Amino acid sequence: MLGSSPLYSLIYIITDAVASGDPLYLSEADLALGSDVFEYQSHTDQLHQRNEAGEAYLTLKPIVEVEADLKRSIDKLGGRNLAFAYPYGVYQEEQRQVLEDIGFQLAFTVEYKKASQAEHMLEIPRISVFPEDTLEDFKLKFN
């Protein structure tokens, strides 16, 4: 459970990719091995994709399909629906409302700014950290 240990960190999972066998994604064995330090939350089940024009599926698919996808993801995560990361940071009011309706408490965009208490809890901006960032890059992002 999130918060039961100060060592927990969140990983947002594309749940359909877990059983894919693709080494780019965590497997069920990986998830089990990391469960003592990671809390897993949703990054959709099958909607972390773009069409040929680069538009995010999350905003293109009918809202009933979005809701079904998110519920599948929650189910595969054992009912976990605390937090969500919008694929590519893209969403519209309809998708945000679905998150609220199915009980998500937090959702993260990719808007590059520090979060504040004034933010809507389903529209939290974040500052991304990438593998190529140096420690100095990391410090600059948060100062």
Side-chain angles (χ1 to χ4, degrees):
M1 175 60 67
L2 183 66
S4 62
S5 168
L7 300 176
Y8 270 90
S9 181
L10 291 178
I11 294 180
Y12 295 95
I13 303 291
I14 303 166
T15 51
D16 189 56
V18 171
S20 70
D22 186 331
L24 181 62
Y25 300 102
L26 296 173
S27 67
E28 290 201 27
D30 295 329
L31 297 178
L33 283 171
S35 65
D36 60 336
V37 293
F38 293 109
E39 170 71 23
Y40 305 109
Q41 295 290 325
S42 181
H43 204 28
T44 74
D45 185 50
Q46 296 179 340
L47 295 182
H48 193 285
Q49 299 180 56
R50 294 181 191 257
N51 67 10
E52 291 176 5
E55 301 166 301
Y57 277 22
L58 189 72
T59 58
L60 293 176
K61 297 295 181 178
I63 204 67
V64 295
E65 190 174 327
V66 170
E67 183 175 0
D69 181 271
L70 296 176
K71 287 180 176 179
R72 267 193 318 277
S73 183
I74 292 168
D75 185 55
K76 289 179 179 182
L77 290 167
R80 293 182 189 97
N81 66 340
L82 170 69
F84 181 78
Y86 294 105
Y88 316 105
V90 178
Y91 66 97
Q92 296 167 343
E93 176 59 30
E94 277 186 310
Q95 292 79 31
R96 188 179 68 85
Q97 187 61 52
V98 167
L99 291 177
E100 189 171 322
D101 292 347
I102 60 179
F104 281 100
Q105 297 172 40
L106 310 166
F108 295 87
T109 71
V110 294
E111 182 181 1
Y112 190 88
K113 72 176 193 177
K114 291 181 181 178
S116 74
Q117 290 183 343
E119 308 297 338
H120 188 290
M121 296 303 283
L122 296 176
E123 297 176 327
I124 301 170
R126 62 182 169 176
I127 297 174
S128 298
V129 178
F130 301 99
E132 63 272 11
D133 287 346
T134 65
L135 185 55
E136 195 57 38
D137 294 333
F138 181 83
K139 289 177 187 177
L140 289 171
K141 287 182 178 191
F142 292 95
N143 286 327

